[in-house]
Amino acid sequence: MTELNLKNWRLENDEQGIITAILDKAGENANTLSKEIMDELAILLDEFDKTQPKAVIFRSGKSAGFIAGADINEFTKLDSKEKGIEIISRGWNLFNRLGDVKYPTLALVRGHCLGGGLELALACKYLLVVDEPSTKMGLPEVMLGIFPGWGGMKRLPERIGAPQALDMMLSGKTIDAKKAKKLGLADDCVPPRVMEMAAKQLVLSGDHHKKLGLVSQVLSGPLKTVTAKKAREELVKKARPEHYPAPYAILDIWEKHDGNALADPNLIDNIINSKTARNLVRVFFLQERLKKFGSQSDFKASHVHVVGAGIMGGDIAAWCALRGLKVTLQDTSVDRIAPAIGRAKKLFDRRIKDPLLARDAFDRLVPDVAGDGVKDADVVIEAIFENLDAKHSLLSSLEKKMKASAILATNTSSLKLEDLAIVLKNPARLVGIHFFNPVAQMPLVEVINAEISDEKTVKKALSFVKQIDKLPLPVKSAPGFLVNAVLTPYMLEAMRAVDEGISPETVDEAMLAFGMPIGPIELVDTVGLDIAMAAGSQIADADEAPKCLLEKIEKGNLGKKTGSGFYNWVDGKAQKGKAGEIPAGLAERLIAPLLQRTQKLVDEGIVGDADLADAGVIFGTGFAPFTGGPLNYSIG
């Protein structure tokens, strides 16, 4: 074989004549498919055309995983139709070439295999996955406002059937190794200790892929139009085409062009250079920036103690147990802890498919009425009700029992840390770690840095948040911090519109049409009308509470938790009537206080800069991601 001088690939040749092509992107922790790497892959294929190896195995040289996808930085440079077509052509043609080689090929997938990485793997004859929790496979391009244009829209439906493939591509969700084998995406699933031997056996086996069942064949072939129509009907319920055009483009390209985006060059330009794609790529980089905040300390917790087993405290405890930590959950009685344990079991059963692993998570969550876990915990989180005196008493008692190295955190949503810390012998050790409800769904956690805070403790808190797979956002101590401070005037304005005679359903529909994931009135019901009232007085400096809010609180109708608020609630769902005609300019009116407050908090230095404010509001409230965030939206 010719000596190849490649920067990112290295080759190994064994005694059987099997070549292993190892991708190890220079200077990076993870592999991404940049133009340079794709060009080098083309050189490899040129060489293999000459030598015709017995077999080729593609694998990663990184501990982080197989291939994370395309190089997202390159998408920020696609400022013309020609550049968009060029980048699609590059991968489509190269992976078609890989798929057509005469020698057997195999992708050995360990760790993440996403986007272009999965498209490369699909172009190989065989796909072998390693059974580890870190192995995740998917085509998440839709999350960036684009589509999988390098063969994924063609090969994934062919491999696992159109219904399953469309579900993955339209949602951007990933699957684990066992699910990949079950669906037929992977030819086999093996433990790490035998992966190399299994790869060599499989690539030389001559075996054929498992054929699609008859139903899948029909839905992917003769009834393709029916499959696409059904998928489109489901998609409309989740994403509006004017906000998120990419999933609709995926359906069109699969249905009309057999997954080949190059058949419709105008569509490529409309999607890749759309405002939505630019903003969603922006959101991706904002997310990566938040993750970096969690890398400023090597702190790792093994035991978390949570005080307060209400909805928030109980769900924080459950999430930490789900992420592998031992958790002791304290409240005044077992009866008060029991509902949290019940919710935790449902979370574990839903999130963990292996019953034994779900049981392990359940065993990590320990009821602790006496509070014995405090002395051993690495992180102690206070999550009781918002009462200054009650928190003073609790924090003072916790400080006396904790080990010196532990983090003492409060989950307060509106009280200033300076006011809470006055009872502590060492006020500097108190830090805010503020989760959002529902804990299992909201990715953001605010880490509060007060004037009194110790910098090392804040960095440890940021690291802890990243450890439990949340996005940490540092903010300064102020009423409501960032997220609640911007939500409160928005919710108050929505209730004032109800006072004016606009129905709650119409108010909510106006903001759903704007792109919010939940309407502001339903949000008030979900948060609790009493909480919204308290937030309004503490955060928004409102001169007068909305009349509709006062009336419902007087009747004891506090929203979802009491079964009735602005809506009646049945089985956890708001029972809504039909929305009326939306008054012109209503959405703009309702969102204006949120935009104004976000800018004010940036100006006051509560959050570091406008980009971080956008990130916080997107990941903490669900603010329409396709806009790129409230401040990005406000400047057009």
Side-chain angles (χ1 to χ4, degrees), residues 79-97:
D79 54 5
S80 69
K81 179 178 179 180
E82 290 72 26
K83 288 181 180 179
I85 293 172
E86 190 279 328
I87 199 170
I88 297 295
S89 299
R90 179 199 308 162
W92 173 263
N93 294 331
L94 184 61
F95 290 168
N96 279 344
R97 183 182 172 191

Side-chain angles (χ1 to χ4, degrees), residues 197-457:
M197 179 183 68
K200 292 181 179 182
Q201 289 178 346
L202 180 58
V203 77
L204 295 179
S205 67
D207 290 344
H208 297 285
H209 294 299
K210 181 176 70 175
K211 289 186 177 181
L212 290 176
L214 180 60
V215 173
S216 290
Q217 291 182 46
V218 171
L219 291 175
S220 302
L223 294 183
K224 178 183 258 192
T225 301
V226 175
T227 303
K229 181 181 178 182
K230 183 176 181 181
R232 206 170 270 109
E233 289 171 352
E234 291 300 313
L235 182 58
V236 168
K237 300 175 185 177
K238 302 172 184 177
R240 299 180 185 235
E242 65 269 26
H243 297 157
Y244 298 100
Y248 295 90
I250 290 172
L251 278 172
D252 284 344
I253 294 168
W254 172 73
E255 180 186 6
K256 300 174 183 176
H257 306 300
D258 197 26
N260 180 6
L262 294 172
D264 192 344
N266 288 327
L267 183 59
I268 293 176
D269 185 53
N270 291 341
I271 296 298
I272 290 182
N273 285 311
S274 68
K275 201 169 187 178
T276 292
R278 290 198 301 274
N279 285 335
L280 291 179
V281 168
R282 165 184 162 78
V283 172
F284 170 83
F285 286 115
L286 292 178
Q287 178 175 270
E288 293 303 300
R289 186 178 175 193
L290 292 181
K291 290 178 181 178
K292 290 179 181 178
F293 284 118
S295 302
Q296 300 177 25
S297 168
D298 57 3
F299 174 80
K300 286 289 182 291
S302 59
H303 180 179
V304 177
H305 184 82
V306 180
V307 185
I311 296 292
M312 182 61 75
D315 289 359
I316 292 170
W319 181 262
C320 291
L322 179 72
R323 304 322 302 166
L325 283 74
K326 177 183 177 181
V327 183
T328 43
L329 177 59
Q330 181 181 350
D331 212 310
T332 55
S333 70
V334 172
D335 288 344
R336 292 182 67 88
I337 298 175
I341 300 298
R343 291 195 309 277
K345 187 176 187 308
K346 291 180 181 178
L347 173 68
F348 301 152
D349 290 343
R350 187 170 67 249
R351 291 292 188 103
I352 306 174
K353 302 306 179 185
D354 187 327
L356 293 178
L357 294 179
R359 182 66 194 183
D360 288 344
F362 191 73
D363 289 343
R364 288 193 292 270
L365 179 57
V366 181
D368 183 13
V369 174
D372 294 330
V374 175
K375 65 181 185 301
D376 299 317
D378 304 301
V379 179
V380 177
I381 302 175
E382 170 276 306
I384 66 171
F385 54 98
E386 294 287 87
N387 178 280
L388 187 61
D389 291 338
K391 288 182 184 287
H392 276 166
S393 177
L394 176 60
L395 291 170
S396 179
S397 67
L398 290 174
E399 183 186 33
K400 297 171 185 175
K401 302 174 186 177
M402 292 170 56
K403 58 187 182 183
S405 60
I407 295 173
L408 175 59
T410 174
N411 184 58
T412 183
S413 59
S414 58
L415 299 174
K416 293 188 67 173
L417 263 67
E418 291 86 350
D419 295 335
L420 290 171
I422 60 174
V423 298
L424 299 177
K425 291 183 178 180
N426 180 13
R429 78 180 307 183
L430 182 67
V431 64
I433 301 181
H434 182 219
F435 291 79
F436 298 96
N437 194 20
V439 173
Q441 296 178 28
M442 300 305 294
L444 188 83
V445 173
E446 291 174 321
V447 176
I448 318 305
N449 184 0
E451 292 180 4
I452 58 169
S453 299
D454 174 66
E455 185 179 351
K456 289 183 179 179
T457 301

Side-chain angles (χ1 to χ4, degrees), residues 55-279:
V56 175
I57 295 172
F58 292 94
R59 60 170 296 178
S60 170
K62 305 287 189 187
S63 59
F66 184 64
I67 300 173
D71 186 340
I72 305 302
N73 287 293
E74 293 186 358
F75 285 94
T76 64
K77 303 170 185 175
L78 300 181
D79 54 5
S80 69
K81 179 178 179 180
E82 290 72 26
K83 288 181 180 179
I85 293 172
E86 190 279 328
I87 199 170
I88 297 295
S89 299
R90 179 199 308 162
W92 173 263
N93 294 331
L94 184 61
F95 290 168
N96 279 344
R97 183 182 172 191
L98 173 60
D100 290 338
V101 298
K102 296 179 181 179
Y103 48 87
T105 54
L106 178 144
L108 174 56
V109 172
R110 183 181 192 184
H112 53 243
C113 176
L114 305 172
L118 181 54
E119 290 180 295
L120 186 154
L122 285 166
C124 295
K125 182 174 181 180
Y126 299 106
L127 202 165
L128 180 68
V129 292
V130 179
D131 187 11
E132 286 184 322
S134 63
T135 298
K136 301 292 181 185
M137 308 179 73
L139 295 173
E141 285 88 346
V142 71
M143 308 298 288
L144 296 174
I146 56 178
F147 47 72
W150 292 351
M153 289 185 289
K154 174 178 175 61
R155 294 189 178 93
L156 188 61
E158 290 175 347
R159 184 78 69 101
I160 67 174
Q164 294 280 6
L166 290 173
D167 180 49
M168 287 180 65
M169 292 189 293
L170 298 181
S171 67
K173 70 182 180 182
T174 60
I175 59 174
D176 61 20
K178 284 189 174 68
K179 185 68 176 290
K181 170 69 186 316
K182 182 179 179 181
L183 291 179
L185 173 55
D187 294 286
D188 205 354
C189 173
V190 299
R193 66 180 184 277
V194 300
M195 63 181 188
E196 293 179 4
M197 179 183 68
K200 292 181 179 182
Q201 289 178 346
L202 180 58
V203 77
L204 295 179
S205 67
D207 290 344
H208 297 285
H209 294 299
K210 181 176 70 175
K211 289 186 177 181
L212 290 176
L214 180 60
V215 173
S216 290
Q217 291 182 46
V218 171
L219 291 175
S220 302
L223 294 183
K224 178 183 258 192
T225 301
V226 175
T227 303
K229 181 181 178 182
K230 183 176 181 181
R232 206 170 270 109
E233 289 171 352
E234 291 300 313
L235 182 58
V236 168
K237 300 175 185 177
K238 302 172 184 177
R240 299 180 185 235
E242 65 269 26
H243 297 157
Y244 298 100
Y248 295 90
I250 290 172
L251 278 172
D252 284 344
I253 294 168
W254 172 73
E255 180 186 6
K256 300 174 183 176
H257 306 300
D258 197 26
N260 180 6
L262 294 172
D264 192 344
N266 288 327
L267 183 59
I268 293 176
D269 185 53
N270 291 341
I271 296 298
I272 290 182
N273 285 311
S274 68
K275 201 169 187 178
T276 292
R278 290 198 301 274
N279 285 335

